[in-house]
Amino acid sequence: MHRLRSWAATLKVEIIALWIAARDGRTPLVARLVASATAAFALSPIDLIPDFIPVLGYLDDLIIVPLGIALAIRLIPAPLMDEFRAAARARDDRARAPWVRQ
């Protein structure tokens, strides 16, 4: 259970970091486009394969979103991505209520 929470926390930081990267002018254009497209696909109510189709409905979300995140991270220079991750952690720490355990 601890591994799952750790993985979810890491994923949350990565997504926030990509959101920050998509809006930063120092991020290469291709990386900004990939990050924006991935976020739009993940949040869009329109799916390539409707979710009511058993197994296949969620398969597009389980494959395309993680691949888009991984591709965007690879396209962003490492020092810049480290900066975005630090900013994401700072935002996450500020947003967390003091009574919530980590």
Side-chain angles (χ1 to χ4, degrees):
M1 187 64 152
H2 179 67
R3 277 183 66 193
L4 184 61
R5 283 187 182 175
S6 176
W7 176 79
T10 302
L11 185 61
K12 181 179 177 182
V13 168
E14 293 292 324
I15 291 170
I16 295 170
L18 285 179
W19 180 78
I20 294 168
R23 287 160 178 70
D24 193 292
R26 298 173 294 163
T27 304
L29 180 61
V30 174
R32 289 172 57 182
L33 292 173
V34 170
S36 298
T38 301
F41 179 81
L43 299 174
S44 173
I46 300 169
D47 278 339
L48 294 176
I49 303 171
D51 289 341
F52 63 82
I53 297 174
V55 180
L56 294 177
Y58 292 106
L59 195 57
D60 64 338
D61 297 327
L62 290 173
I63 292 173
I64 294 173
V65 172
L67 286 178
I69 291 170
L71 179 60
I73 290 171
R74 290 193 68 144
L75 291 172
I76 298 170
L80 204 51
M81 192 62 198
D82 291 339
E83 182 182 326
F84 296 145
R85 285 182 181 119
R89 283 187 203 94
R91 284 184 187 212
D92 190 37
D93 289 343
R94 280 195 319 248
R96 185 170 292 136
W99 58 84
V100 177
R101 288 188 296 164
Q102 293 187 18

